[in-house]
Amino acid sequence: YMSGIVLAGTHSGCGKTTITLGILAALKKKGLTVQSFKAGPDFIDTGLHRLITGRPSRNLDIWMCGEDYVRDCYKSHSLNCDLSIVEGVMGLYDGEFSTARLATLLRLPIILIVDAYGMAESAGAIVNGFIQYSSRLLKDIQDLPNISGVIFNRIASDRHYKRVIDSVRDVPVLGYLPRDLNFEIPHRHLGLTTAEERPFAEENVERLANAVLRHIDMDKVIEKYRNLEARHPIDSGYHPFQNSKVKIAIAYDRAFCFYYEDNLDLLRNEGAEIVTFSLMSDSHLPEDVDAIYIGGGYPELYAEELSKNQSMLEAIHNWADSGKPMYAECGGLMYLSKGIYDFEGNFSRMAGVFPFETEMKRGRAHLGYRDVLLNDDCIKGKKEDKIRGHEFHYSEIKPSVSGLQSSDITTCYSVFDNRGQPLQKEGYKFKNVLASYTHIHFGSNSNIAKSFINFIKETQWKT
């Protein structure tokens, strides 16, 4: 068995992220080196993990990347730490690519998180049901997921806790977090506030860590699950660039912070040097860069600041117009549009690389996994290549002024949902710029990073 734990919940909102952050903070306070992971495609939780541990957190997504990639990712990043913590997604058994399936793939034990608010002895029935359900749900899997501990959330009192733990059979209760903890991560339309916005003060993290150490038996957790082998330096999987011919500028600030760390590592593997800059506060692009990569984020929240940074808007527009390579996803696509209408209908002008506007839509989330077939050669690969990612956004291209009839703009993505149903074509191309609403995981196709670098080099030769 690999070293580590999966922290899984009975349902979304049961306290997984709070308890995960608390356990990470408690382990760090005990002087342990801990590596965190997140099941599924979520960018925000991985950023919050990183705030606590000081180490990049990794997404483990079987649908996007496949079992071999996920297993290798977990193994390689777990080798030089004392303990690995995987935060699950939704409820333990929810979805075809569930947390239970991930735990089974990695052969990791599960600690089940149960929200005890509003119940007492019924908690035992819930825990028992989750243990029994695995054998019904996963009949074809030999090594069933192993629920080896339980942590309760929102316990009201010592008496409440005693009633809860007395109801649980056949699995150890490792502890709880109290109802009056008063630790909350602010929410907004896409979920939790991002790490880049510093959603919690250090003293709150300290209070959370202390609550975990007081109410959860962390010594038992460490003794039971930690890697007892001596830690030793390992090959990180990529090497520092040496006389690299390709330098990629990554837009990174409070407005743009949704990147898979693996994507950046895979680019470095192919010899890229990564530098960061801010579309909000920098007046010009970094020097001597060969390509620009603008990820997702919350440009609608910072639209006014982005719009006021005229010199950067002009620099990005001129870069695109001169035929230099640029790739943008989701929030990055919004930045490259003519402008953004926020939820109140206020308009902020953007870089105008593409002749359409984007607008925020309340209650109309575009959410789900995406299969992408390339209809043309582009920075992500060759025609007929298949790549995968996901969408999660509340904005849309404004249909009345889409401007997509322009002969300069083409689409090179045929997009399908995870059931194979075709969706609207996208992957908008202008000269050597590609922009899309789909967040592509470069681990979904082993050729993506190589194609990305080769495209940049070919563009250099042509210009």
mmCIF file of all heavy atoms in Angstrom, residues 396-421:
data_model
loop_
_atom_site.group_PDB
_atom_site.id
_atom_site.type_symbol
_atom_site.label_atom_id
_atom_site.label_comp_id
_atom_site.label_asym_id
_atom_site.label_seq_id
_atom_site.Cartn_x
_atom_site.Cartn_y
_atom_site.Cartn_z
ATOM 1 N N GLU A 396 -20.598 34.190 -20.679
ATOM 2 C CA GLU A 396 -20.877 33.711 -22.038
ATOM 3 C C GLU A 396 -20.404 34.756 -23.032
ATOM 4 O O GLU A 396 -20.278 35.935 -22.700
ATOM 5 C CB GLU A 396 -22.388 33.485 -22.244
ATOM 6 C CG GLU A 396 -22.990 32.408 -21.377
ATOM 7 C CD GLU A 396 -24.508 32.302 -21.574
ATOM 8 O OE1 GLU A 396 -25.079 33.155 -22.311
ATOM 9 O OE2 GLU A 396 -25.111 31.380 -20.993
ATOM 10 N N ILE A 397 -20.162 34.311 -24.247
ATOM 11 C CA ILE A 397 -19.912 35.262 -25.327
ATOM 12 C C ILE A 397 -21.244 35.891 -25.684
ATOM 13 O O ILE A 397 -22.240 35.196 -25.896
ATOM 14 C CB ILE A 397 -19.277 34.547 -26.535
ATOM 15 C CG1 ILE A 397 -17.861 34.089 -26.172
ATOM 16 C CG2 ILE A 397 -19.263 35.446 -27.761
ATOM 17 C CD1 ILE A 397 -17.197 33.209 -27.208
ATOM 18 N N LYS A 398 -21.278 37.200 -25.724
ATOM 19 C CA LYS A 398 -22.525 37.930 -25.975
ATOM 20 C C LYS A 398 -22.979 37.676 -27.404
ATOM 21 O O LYS A 398 -22.270 38.037 -28.354
ATOM 22 C CB LYS A 398 -22.295 39.420 -25.734
ATOM 23 C CG LYS A 398 -23.536 40.239 -25.473
ATOM 24 C CD LYS A 398 -23.153 41.616 -24.970
ATOM 25 C CE LYS A 398 -24.334 42.567 -24.945
ATOM 26 N NZ LYS A 398 -25.405 42.136 -24.042
ATOM 27 N N PRO A 399 -24.133 37.038 -27.601
ATOM 28 C CA PRO A 399 -24.512 36.609 -28.945
ATOM 29 C C PRO A 399 -24.816 37.744 -29.909
ATOM 30 O O PRO A 399 -24.512 37.668 -31.092
ATOM 31 C CB PRO A 399 -25.766 35.751 -28.709
ATOM 32 C CG PRO A 399 -26.290 36.191 -27.386
ATOM 33 C CD PRO A 399 -25.105 36.629 -26.584
ATOM 34 N N SER A 400 -25.381 38.846 -29.402
ATOM 35 C CA SER A 400 -25.822 39.915 -30.304
ATOM 36 C C SER A 400 -24.658 40.635 -30.979
ATOM 37 O O SER A 400 -24.820 41.236 -32.030
ATOM 38 C CB SER A 400 -26.664 40.931 -29.537
ATOM 39 O OG SER A 400 -25.914 41.454 -28.454
ATOM 40 N N VAL A 401 -23.502 40.588 -30.354
ATOM 41 C CA VAL A 401 -22.343 41.264 -30.942
ATOM 42 C C VAL A 401 -21.163 40.295 -30.998
ATOM 43 O O VAL A 401 -20.041 40.650 -30.688
ATOM 44 C CB VAL A 401 -21.959 42.526 -30.123
ATOM 45 C CG1 VAL A 401 -22.941 43.638 -30.348
ATOM 46 C CG2 VAL A 401 -21.846 42.201 -28.633
ATOM 47 N N SER A 402 -21.441 39.054 -31.377
ATOM 48 C CA SER A 402 -20.399 38.031 -31.300
ATOM 49 C C SER A 402 -19.227 38.328 -32.220
ATOM 50 O O SER A 402 -18.086 38.043 -31.896
ATOM 51 C CB SER A 402 -20.977 36.658 -31.649
ATOM 52 O OG SER A 402 -21.299 36.582 -33.024
ATOM 53 N N GLY A 403 -19.488 38.895 -33.404
ATOM 54 C CA GLY A 403 -18.388 39.226 -34.301
ATOM 55 C C GLY A 403 -17.669 38.018 -34.853
ATOM 56 O O GLY A 403 -16.605 38.149 -35.459
ATOM 57 N N LEU A 404 -18.218 36.828 -34.645
ATOM 58 C CA LEU A 404 -17.492 35.624 -35.061
ATOM 59 C C LEU A 404 -17.606 35.351 -36.560
ATOM 60 O O LEU A 404 -17.062 34.379 -37.057
ATOM 61 C CB LEU A 404 -17.998 34.412 -34.266
ATOM 62 C CG LEU A 404 -17.628 34.444 -32.786
ATOM 63 C CD1 LEU A 404 -18.202 33.245 -32.069
ATOM 64 C CD2 LEU A 404 -16.123 34.484 -32.610
ATOM 65 N N GLN A 405 -18.337 36.212 -37.276
ATOM 66 C CA GLN A 405 -18.379 36.074 -38.728
ATOM 67 C C GLN A 405 -17.088 36.582 -39.367
ATOM 68 O O GLN A 405 -16.837 36.381 -40.546
ATOM 69 C CB GLN A 405 -19.572 36.849 -39.319
ATOM 70 C CG GLN A 405 -20.943 36.264 -38.943
ATOM 71 C CD GLN A 405 -21.314 36.547 -37.500
ATOM 72 O OE1 GLN A 405 -20.899 37.532 -36.916
ATOM 73 N NE2 GLN A 405 -22.107 35.659 -36.924
ATOM 74 N N SER A 406 -16.249 37.229 -38.582
ATOM 75 C CA SER A 406 -15.001 37.773 -39.089
ATOM 76 C C SER A 406 -14.163 36.684 -39.733
ATOM 77 O O SER A 406 -13.995 35.606 -39.181
ATOM 78 C CB SER A 406 -14.217 38.428 -37.954
ATOM 79 O OG SER A 406 -12.880 38.640 -38.342
ATOM 80 N N SER A 407 -13.624 36.954 -40.888
ATOM 81 C CA SER A 407 -12.819 35.958 -41.610
ATOM 82 C C SER A 407 -11.499 35.684 -40.894
ATOM 83 O O SER A 407 -10.852 34.678 -41.160
ATOM 84 C CB SER A 407 -12.539 36.449 -43.034
ATOM 85 O OG SER A 407 -11.854 37.695 -42.987
ATOM 86 N N ASP A 408 -11.108 36.587 -39.984
ATOM 87 C CA ASP A 408 -9.846 36.403 -39.260
ATOM 88 C C ASP A 408 -9.969 35.394 -38.124
ATOM 89 O O ASP A 408 -8.967 34.931 -37.587
ATOM 90 C CB ASP A 408 -9.370 37.739 -38.667
ATOM 91 C CG ASP A 408 -8.974 38.729 -39.745
ATOM 92 O OD1 ASP A 408 -8.603 38.280 -40.835
ATOM 93 O OD2 ASP A 408 -9.060 39.931 -39.478
ATOM 94 N N ILE A 409 -11.224 35.084 -37.716
ATOM 95 C CA ILE A 409 -11.446 34.226 -36.558
ATOM 96 C C ILE A 409 -11.944 32.862 -37.021
ATOM 97 O O ILE A 409 -12.911 32.767 -37.780
ATOM 98 C CB ILE A 409 -12.476 34.848 -35.589
ATOM 99 C CG1 ILE A 409 -12.093 36.286 -35.238
ATOM 100 C CG2 ILE A 409 -12.617 33.994 -34.341
ATOM 101 C CD1 ILE A 409 -10.754 36.434 -34.574
ATOM 102 N N THR A 410 -11.295 31.813 -36.553
ATOM 103 C CA THR A 410 -11.753 30.457 -36.841
ATOM 104 C C THR A 410 -11.892 29.692 -35.524
ATOM 105 O O THR A 410 -11.385 30.123 -34.485
ATOM 106 C CB THR A 410 -10.769 29.708 -37.755
ATOM 107 O OG1 THR A 410 -9.475 29.660 -37.108
ATOM 108 C CG2 THR A 410 -10.623 30.405 -39.100
ATOM 109 N N THR A 411 -12.593 28.565 -35.567
ATOM 110 C CA THR A 411 -12.686 27.691 -34.396
ATOM 111 C C THR A 411 -12.003 26.370 -34.734
ATOM 112 O O THR A 411 -12.198 25.837 -35.825
ATOM 113 C CB THR A 411 -14.151 27.423 -33.990
ATOM 114 O OG1 THR A 411 -14.860 26.902 -35.100
ATOM 115 C CG2 THR A 411 -14.823 28.686 -33.506
ATOM 116 N N CYS A 412 -11.208 25.872 -33.810
ATOM 117 C CA CYS A 412 -10.484 24.626 -34.084
ATOM 118 C C CYS A 412 -10.799 23.512 -33.095
ATOM 119 O O CYS A 412 -10.165 22.465 -33.126
ATOM 120 C CB CYS A 412 -8.982 24.879 -34.145
ATOM 121 S SG CYS A 412 -8.253 25.399 -32.595
ATOM 122 N N TYR A 413 -11.800 23.725 -32.194
ATOM 123 C CA TYR A 413 -12.210 22.682 -31.252
ATOM 124 C C TYR A 413 -13.602 22.151 -31.623
ATOM 125 O O TYR A 413 -14.539 22.937 -31.773
ATOM 126 C CB TYR A 413 -12.342 23.228 -29.830
ATOM 127 C CG TYR A 413 -11.091 23.494 -29.044
ATOM 128 C CD1 TYR A 413 -9.820 23.422 -29.607
ATOM 129 C CD2 TYR A 413 -11.183 23.837 -27.693
ATOM 130 C CE1 TYR A 413 -8.690 23.690 -28.846
ATOM 131 C CE2 TYR A 413 -10.054 24.099 -26.924
ATOM 132 C CZ TYR A 413 -8.807 24.031 -27.511
ATOM 133 O OH TYR A 413 -7.694 24.302 -26.755
ATOM 134 N N SER A 414 -13.733 20.833 -31.755
ATOM 135 C CA SER A 414 -15.044 20.191 -31.636
ATOM 136 C C SER A 414 -15.135 19.700 -30.204
ATOM 137 O O SER A 414 -14.281 18.938 -29.749
ATOM 138 C CB SER A 414 -15.178 19.011 -32.602
ATOM 139 O OG SER A 414 -15.332 19.466 -33.921
ATOM 140 N N VAL A 415 -16.167 20.145 -29.485
ATOM 141 C CA VAL A 415 -16.245 19.898 -28.038
ATOM 142 C C VAL A 415 -17.394 18.948 -27.735
ATOM 143 O O VAL A 415 -18.495 19.078 -28.287
ATOM 144 C CB VAL A 415 -16.435 21.227 -27.268
ATOM 145 C CG1 VAL A 415 -16.388 20.988 -25.756
ATOM 146 C CG2 VAL A 415 -15.366 22.244 -27.668
ATOM 147 N N PHE A 416 -17.140 17.992 -26.829
ATOM 148 C CA PHE A 416 -18.142 17.018 -26.404
ATOM 149 C C PHE A 416 -18.147 16.951 -24.884
ATOM 150 O O PHE A 416 -17.108 17.150 -24.236
ATOM 151 C CB PHE A 416 -17.819 15.629 -26.973
ATOM 152 C CG PHE A 416 -17.652 15.604 -28.469
ATOM 153 C CD1 PHE A 416 -16.418 15.919 -29.042
ATOM 154 C CD2 PHE A 416 -18.718 15.289 -29.300
ATOM 155 C CE1 PHE A 416 -16.254 15.909 -30.423
ATOM 156 C CE2 PHE A 416 -18.563 15.277 -30.681
ATOM 157 C CZ PHE A 416 -17.329 15.589 -31.244
ATOM 158 N N ASP A 417 -19.313 16.654 -24.304
ATOM 159 C CA ASP A 417 -19.335 16.454 -22.861
ATOM 160 C C ASP A 417 -18.839 15.041 -22.534
ATOM 161 O O ASP A 417 -18.483 14.272 -23.434
ATOM 162 C CB ASP A 417 -20.723 16.745 -22.266
ATOM 163 C CG ASP A 417 -21.799 15.767 -22.729
ATOM 164 O OD1 ASP A 417 -21.466 14.665 -23.211
ATOM 165 O OD2 ASP A 417 -22.993 16.095 -22.583
ATOM 166 N N ASN A 418 -18.824 14.688 -21.254
ATOM 167 C CA ASN A 418 -18.234 13.402 -20.885
ATOM 168 C C ASN A 418 -19.115 12.212 -21.247
ATOM 169 O O ASN A 418 -18.709 11.065 -21.072
ATOM 170 C CB ASN A 418 -17.878 13.364 -19.389
ATOM 171 C CG ASN A 418 -19.083 13.540 -18.491
ATOM 172 O OD1 ASN A 418 -20.112 14.063 -18.898
ATOM 173 N ND2 ASN A 418 -18.973 13.099 -17.248
ATOM 174 N N ARG A 419 -20.306 12.467 -21.792
ATOM 175 C CA ARG A 419 -21.159 11.393 -22.317
ATOM 176 C C ARG A 419 -21.058 11.304 -23.833
ATOM 177 O O ARG A 419 -21.772 10.525 -24.456
ATOM 178 C CB ARG A 419 -22.618 11.622 -21.903
ATOM 179 C CG ARG A 419 -22.840 11.623 -20.404
ATOM 180 C CD ARG A 419 -24.294 11.839 -20.029
ATOM 181 N NE ARG A 419 -24.831 13.067 -20.626
ATOM 182 C CZ ARG A 419 -24.671 14.274 -20.124
ATOM 183 N NH1 ARG A 419 -23.963 14.437 -19.012
ATOM 184 N NH2 ARG A 419 -25.193 15.327 -20.710
ATOM 185 N N GLY A 420 -20.211 12.148 -24.423
ATOM 186 C CA GLY A 420 -20.022 12.117 -25.863
ATOM 187 C C GLY A 420 -20.993 12.976 -26.649
ATOM 188 O O GLY A 420 -20.991 12.954 -27.887
ATOM 189 N N GLN A 421 -21.815 13.775 -25.954
ATOM 190 C CA GLN A 421 -22.777 14.642 -26.648
ATOM 191 C C GLN A 421 -22.068 15.894 -27.166
ATOM 192 O O GLN A 421 -21.341 16.544 -26.428
ATOM 193 C CB GLN A 421 -23.901 15.062 -25.702
ATOM 194 C CG GLN A 421 -24.750 13.908 -25.213
ATOM 195 C CD GLN A 421 -25.440 13.183 -26.356
ATOM 196 O OE1 GLN A 421 -26.093 13.792 -27.193
ATOM 197 N NE2 GLN A 421 -25.256 11.863 -26.401
#
